[in-house]
Each structure stands twice: as structure tokens, then as C-alpha cells.
Amino acid sequence: PQAWRDESPSSSPVIVDMDPALGVPYRDIDDALALHWLTLGPSRERLAGITTIFGNAPLERTHGIAAELRLHWAPKVPLNRGAARAQEFNSSAAAALAKHRGTVVL
């Protein structure tokens, strides 16, 4: 199999859509690790936003965890709340993405 490689332009803004559950019993920590990894290297300059969604935990919990992670790792990056349930299309995350100009890597 061919190895994964990023074919996106290196200057494209990145928006991370996540449902972090760091600290929630029996849930995974992959979203928190991905955000941390993005904030460590050159990708930090490309990080244009963080959006949250329900999934690993309810939206209130995932958004709160994302807000805490953002405070420590990316305090200047906008944070927007996404869907709290399936088929929910009107959210601040959707509005922020719709307003974003240019190419975005999600």
C-alpha cells in the first residue's frame, strides 16, 4: 500500500474539527493528541480554527475540553461550537467555515 502523504498546499489554512474526550473515562485521546501535534511544529502557523462536535462525549463536554486545550496550546486560534446531534446544520462552526475564504484543509 502507498504511504499516506499530505498533498495539500503547505500554505493552506487548517481547521481542526474534533470531539475531544481527554479525561472522560473509557474514551480515546486521539483528538487532543492531534491538536497538540499541530501546535508543536510549523503547522502551528497554518492552524486557522478549531471546531467541536458531539461524538466521544456530549457537545458541552467536548467543547469545554477543546476550550481548555486551546487555552494552553493555541490561545489565539478561534474556537467554534458545532453540532450537538446528528442532522444539526446551523452552528457557529458551520457559519465560521462558510465565511472562511480560500482553501481550507479539514
Side-chain angles (χ1 to χ4, degrees), residues 15 17 50-52 59 63 78-84 88-100:
I15 295 178
D17 185 49
I50 301 167
T51 60
T52 57
L59 178 62
H63 192 77
L79 173 65
N80 289 283
R81 188 179 309 260
E88 183 179 320
F89 303 110
N90 296 322
S91 68
S92 67
L97 187 57
K99 290 179 183 178
H100 195 352

Side-chain angles (χ1 to χ4, degrees), residues 6-82:
D6 183 3
E7 295 182 4
S8 61
S10 62
S11 61
S12 295
V14 175
I15 295 178
V16 177
D17 185 49
M18 58 191 312
D19 60 343
L22 186 67
V24 177
Y26 308 109
R27 300 292 186 217
D28 55 37
I29 62 170
D30 59 329
D31 296 272
L33 290 174
L35 181 61
H36 190 229
W37 178 80
L38 275 170
T39 62
L40 290 176
S43 298
R44 181 183 193 118
E45 301 302 319
R46 295 174 52 203
L47 188 54
I50 301 167
T51 60
T52 57
I53 190 167
F54 77 99
N56 284 324
L59 178 62
E60 291 303 318
R61 188 79 184 262
T62 63
H63 192 77
I65 293 168
E68 185 71 24
L69 297 174
R70 175 185 165 264
L71 178 68
H72 294 287
W73 297 335
K76 295 180 181 179
V77 175
L79 173 65
N80 289 283
R81 188 179 309 260

